[in-house]
Amino acid sequence: MSNFNLTTELPAYKELQALFEKKGKSSFDVKSLFGSDPKRFETFSKTFVNNDDKSKILFDFSKNLIDEEILSALIKLYKDAGVDTLKKEMFDGDHINTTEDRAVYHVALRNISKRVMSVDSVNVEPEVTSVLKHMKEYSDDIRSGKLTGYTGLKFTDVVNIGIGGSDLGPVMVTEALKHYADDSKLKTHFVSNIDGTHLVETLRHLNPETTLFLVASKTFTTLETITNANSAKSWFLSKIPADAHEKAIASHFAALSTNAEEVAKFGIDTKNMFGFESWVGGRYSVWSAIGLSICLYIGYENFEQFLKGAEEMDLHFLNTPVEENIPALGGLISVWYNNFHGADTHLVVPFDQYLHRFPAYLQQLSMESNGKSVTRGNSFTNYSTGSILFGEPATNAQHSFFQLVHQGTRLIPSDFIMAANSHNETEGDLHQRLLASNFLAQSEALLTGKDSNDLKAENCPEDLINHKTFSGNRPTTSILAEKITPAALGSLIVYYEHLTFVEGAIWNINSFDQWGVELGKVLAKKVLKDLEGDKVQQHDSSTLGLISTFKSWNKN
């Protein structure tokens, strides 16, 4: 573990503060650095090569507000903070989640090369491999029609019932890899919201005889998930003959859980139960049994490629020196903006419609991990930690919030993500070229801006010059993949996982608990009793007034 408490105590942090004051954002002009250094792009860009399928992803950091002196100081901060030590502890299966006394071992879930990976002196590789084998057999049997519904009809629809990481990951990946699926054979649907509308609208057009339900809850006690699962079960049983109920539940429901007793009580055949361990955090669980919906949708072979791409980025992060380590560099640049430039936000814009749920997935990864204000040494921080991450797919995003990014008063570091090759060639690939032109032009415009001299040369009216001035010098990281294959997607997700890890390690916070999620859940159970009973417990006057109004207006 790291031997410091507050990041501001580290010598490199003080050195970076001095550098920022010396090269503050008002005087640091990246555009001029491109003019003075023709090799800036080569210096500050890195290409990741997936050794399995030889696909490439280019990470261009050159448009960021850094130079070699700043980057050198950031690398020193990485070393002062002992990030490599914490990284080794994570990959060794140590209990780096100190507040819950758990290992953080999602990296073991994509151990396709079957290395020995141990927690508490037990090699977990055989267990992980066994679960993957079970997922392959089950998904193959469902997809082929060997396993059918209770009437013998092949399944046509899969409904995944979960919340948080049990929903966001599978939703994002099935959307991102839709090209690799065959919707005519098996469609996937996801229910997460406790709002009954989500379940009702999902089930409205489904045939119970051909619908498979996956209930994703490690403990099988998550209130929202089990409520939705019981309602789905009631809907299902109401549509079939009473004498078929027991057989039908066993055929049409599977559990992504470790609580065999509760799974069996629900009526699910425990041979259709897929487990995962306590060292798998929810927001890192897409690689585990939680990914069963992905296997069913795109096939196990593609899911395995997804895991392989993830493992390749793991090995790059584990074995590459910080100077060339792509996730480490991304994390350091993020810390530079957050702690020295005072940037509160991080924008992620995929120029790829298949990735339209990617920013939502990263929101949980980033903000649930690093939205903390207490160090691992149990002190409140005196510096900023987690960023507010947001984003939408381009080019739609250009017509919503890009105005703020270009001309607003806030510095918004941005990641632009695109594939050079689309899965869908249209109009002789005109659409992809138009998309690429925007991907390239937006980052260039944010870099170069437009000043009054440019506008005067265009004969811009004097009273519009200020309105049409773009300051430029607004940072972007461009991420260009050859194509979004299953392996490339796996690598891209893991890039952000380890970037988030580096941020948290430097801030000396525990990125792997989520106590902030718990308080609202506890209070919700208390309020539910007030809504269902005649007596109301003590609350503030606003909550009491809202409870009273809801009860008087709710017809039930």
Side-chain angles (χ1 to χ4, degrees), residues 291-358:
L292 183 60
S293 57
I294 303 168
C295 293
L296 289 162
Y297 190 52
I298 65 173
Y300 182 81
E301 290 72 19
N302 285 316
F303 182 73
E304 187 174 65
Q305 286 297 312
F306 174 63
L307 297 179
K308 285 182 178 178
E311 183 183 34
E312 288 287 343
M313 186 61 83
D314 279 337
L315 294 174
H316 168 84
F317 180 61
L318 176 63
N319 298 319
T320 306
V322 57
E323 292 81 2
E324 300 296 324
N325 194 306
I326 296 169
L329 294 172
L332 289 171
I333 290 169
S334 177
V335 168
W336 175 237
Y337 292 130
N338 190 310
N339 295 98
F340 300 94
H341 285 266
D344 296 324
T345 57
H346 182 176
L347 171 62
V348 177
V349 181
F351 284 71
D352 188 315
Q353 186 58 32
Y354 282 135
L355 292 176
H356 70 105
R357 294 295 293 167
F358 194 53

Side-chain angles (χ1 to χ4, degrees), residues 7 28 60 120 126 129 155 174 176 188 201 205-206 226 263 358 386 489 526:
T7 302
F28 191 87
D60 176 15
D120 299 327
T129 300
F155 288 108
T174 53
T188 53
E201 290 297 336
H205 302 295
L206 299 186
I226 299 307
V263 167
F358 194 53
L489 180 66
K526 178 181 176 182

Side-chain angles (χ1 to χ4, degrees), residues 136-158:
K136 172 177 167 47
E137 291 170 349
Y138 185 75
S139 59
D140 285 352
D141 287 349
I142 293 290
R143 286 167 60 85
S144 69
K146 183 178 178 180
L147 284 179
T148 66
Y150 80 100
T151 61
L153 294 176
K154 285 182 67 173
F155 288 108
T156 59
D157 295 88
V158 177

Side-chain angles (χ1 to χ4, degrees), residues 88-105:
K88 183 179 184 301
E89 290 170 349
M90 177 172 73
F91 278 87
D92 285 348
D94 293 352
H95 288 215
I96 66 169
N97 179 353
T98 52
T99 60
E100 297 177 302
D101 193 21
R102 290 178 181 172
V104 176
Y105 222 31

Side-chain angles (χ1 to χ4, degrees), residues 475-493:
T476 57
T477 295
S478 297
I479 302 172
L480 182 63
E482 285 188 287
K483 182 178 277 191
I484 302 298
T485 61
L489 180 66
S491 299
L492 187 60
I493 294 169

Side-chain angles (χ1 to χ4, degrees), residues 93-109 118-120 122 124 127-128 131 217-219 256-259 274-285 288-290 510-515:
D94 293 352
H95 288 215
I96 66 169
N97 179 353
T98 52
T99 60
E100 297 177 302
D101 193 21
R102 290 178 181 172
V104 176
Y105 222 31
H106 47 275
V107 293
L109 298 171
S118 300
V119 174
D120 299 327
V122 176
V124 301
E127 176 195 353
V128 170
V131 172
S217 172
K218 184 186 294 187
T219 62
L256 316 181
S257 178
T258 56
N259 191 338
F274 301 80
F276 47 102
E277 291 300 321
S278 62
W279 39 258
V280 181
R283 55 191 173 278
Y284 302 97
S285 64
S288 71
I290 293 298
N510 180 2
S511 298
F512 305 105
D513 59 14
Q514 52 277 330
W515 300 109

Side-chain angles (χ1 to χ4, degrees), residues 11-26:
Y13 192 93
K14 296 171 183 176
E15 182 180 333
L16 283 160
Q17 281 182 318
L19 269 177
F20 181 73
E21 290 167 10
K22 173 186 170 185
K23 301 182 176 186
K25 59 183 178 181
S26 60

